[in-house]
Amino acid sequence: MKDVHDIIIIGGGPAGYTAAIYAARANLSPYVAEGFGAGGQLMLTTDVENFPGFTDGIQGPELMQHMRGQAERFGAVLESADVSRVDFSSRPFSVWVDEEQHLANSVIISTGASARWLDLPSETRLRGFGVSTCATCDGFFFRDKPMVVVGGGDSAMEEALFLARMASSVTIVHRREEFRASSIMVARVLENEKIKVRWNAVVEEVVGDEKVEAVRVRDTVTGELEDIPAAAMFVAIGHDPNTSLFAGQIDLDESGYVLTDGTRTSVEGVFACGDVQDTIYKQAITAAGSGCMAAMDAERWLEAGISSPEKVSATPSAAVAPSTER
């Protein structure tokens, strides 16, 4: 019989590393399959200025390195390898890492979500130099300058309205002649004097050598090209949760996000945290907070199951007693 881990954490990033820190401090010896994309979206972010504790800001990869090192210091075992499949049908749960089976009494999912991009070479080259998918994270760096938002859903409307508070102007580039966003969001955007809309247009290129200088768009009706001056371009065409691994194993919503009650999933003993189950906030700090919650929930669940199995809840919505802060 293979050794059974108390907790296996699938995924790195702010959520997974924070969960590992808390689980390790609880003497649960977490095994973290952080994946080859360890660190999540912050690995593509240059300056992070809204994570508490860093007066002058910090580079995204550096922040992830600090979190990872802290988890390791407390005894977490981290492996930069991808999980190929899971089996949550019976306990102990099975998690295959590079085709090697690992067993666990509990699992924390923190695989995150991937922002959708336009897949343009110029966009890829200028990521972190004016091209972003997070207005909350990066809008401040381009205060009093023109900005472009690409998209037509609620996320794009929210990004544009947020950026309008600090930009000299915001231009929304949308490929159709009407938005798919909710009526109330569209009304707010169209009423904002700082926001303009470039209808029936798609981005052909991000102009600039070392930073964004303009966004070149093509009119989908006439084919005409136009350069929109901009210091930054924010792509807001959605995210894809990294959950294909869990299809058929736990309940997912129609967009593929893990359905949770707090951090509990539809399977007792399996928890989820971070952007993989967060459809609203998608911030490093909220991901870290939910990672803490998932580790504490898993710890309490394991204690209840070990001490008196009959007390283990049959539903993920069962209340959990509060405990003191660690």
Side-chain angles (χ1 to χ4, degrees), residues 145-157:
K145 296 178 181 178
M147 307 184 202
V148 166
V149 173
V150 183
D154 279 347
S155 294
M157 303 302 106

Side-chain angles (χ1 to χ4, degrees), residues 8 23 28 55 73 81 85 100 114 118 132 179 184 205 216 227 247 259 262 269 273 282-283 292 294 300-301 310 316:
I8 287 180
L28 294 174
T55 306
R73 182 167 72 87
R85 58 190 172 108
E100 180 182 351
S114 300
L118 302 174
S132 173
F179 292 128
I184 188 170
E205 184 181 359
R216 183 165 297 155
D227 283 2
L259 287 170
C273 55
K282 300 183 184 300
Q283 298 296 301
C292 161
R300 295 167 186 166
W301 186 83
E310 69 276 12

Side-chain angles (χ1 to χ4, degrees), residues 279-303:
T279 61
I280 301 174
Y281 303 104
K282 300 183 184 300
Q283 298 296 301
I285 188 64
T286 53
S290 68
C292 161
M293 293 162 59
M296 294 178 73
D297 287 346
E299 178 192 359
R300 295 167 186 166
W301 186 83
L302 288 167
E303 287 176 350

Side-chain angles (χ1 to χ4, degrees), residues 88-89 91 93 249-251 264-271 316:
F88 297 155
S89 62
R91 289 196 297 267
F93 302 118
Q249 297 286 333
I250 55 177
D251 289 348
R264 295 187 175 203
T265 72
S266 58
V267 175
E268 280 288 316
V270 178
F271 304 83

Side-chain angles (χ1 to χ4, degrees), residues 116-239:
R116 296 174 189 162
W117 295 92
L118 302 174
D119 294 330
L120 300 171
S122 55
E123 170 198 56
T124 302
R125 176 171 50 83
L126 291 170
R127 285 184 195 176
F129 298 94
V131 173
S132 173
T133 58
C134 181
T136 308
C137 309
D138 301 324
F140 177 84
F141 300 115
F142 308 99
R143 182 177 293 275
D144 298 324
K145 296 178 181 178
M147 307 184 202
V148 166
V149 173
V150 183
D154 279 347
S155 294
M157 303 302 106
E158 290 171 5
E159 299 278 90
L161 288 166
F162 176 83
L163 292 171
R165 302 175 195 169
M166 61 191 75
S168 61
S169 67
V170 176
T171 302
I172 300 176
V173 175
H174 185 47
R175 59 183 176 176
R176 299 188 177 94
E177 59 185 12
E178 62 180 23
F179 292 128
R180 64 181 185 277
S182 59
S183 297
I184 188 170
M185 294 300 294
V186 171
R188 289 174 182 170
V189 162
L190 297 180
E191 291 169 2
N192 193 303
E193 295 180 353
K194 277 193 171 183
I195 301 175
K196 299 176 289 185
V197 182
R198 182 63 174 85
W199 303 102
N200 297 315
V202 293
V203 177
E204 287 284 300
E205 184 181 359
V206 187
V207 180
D209 294 326
E210 297 182 352
K211 62 180 181 179
V212 175
E213 297 174 2
V215 176
R216 183 165 297 155
V217 301
R218 174 176 55 83
D219 190 297
T220 59
V221 178
T222 66
E224 183 180 350
L225 294 177
E226 175 190 355
D227 283 2
I228 301 173
M233 181 183 80
F234 294 88
V235 182
I237 56 176
H239 289 74

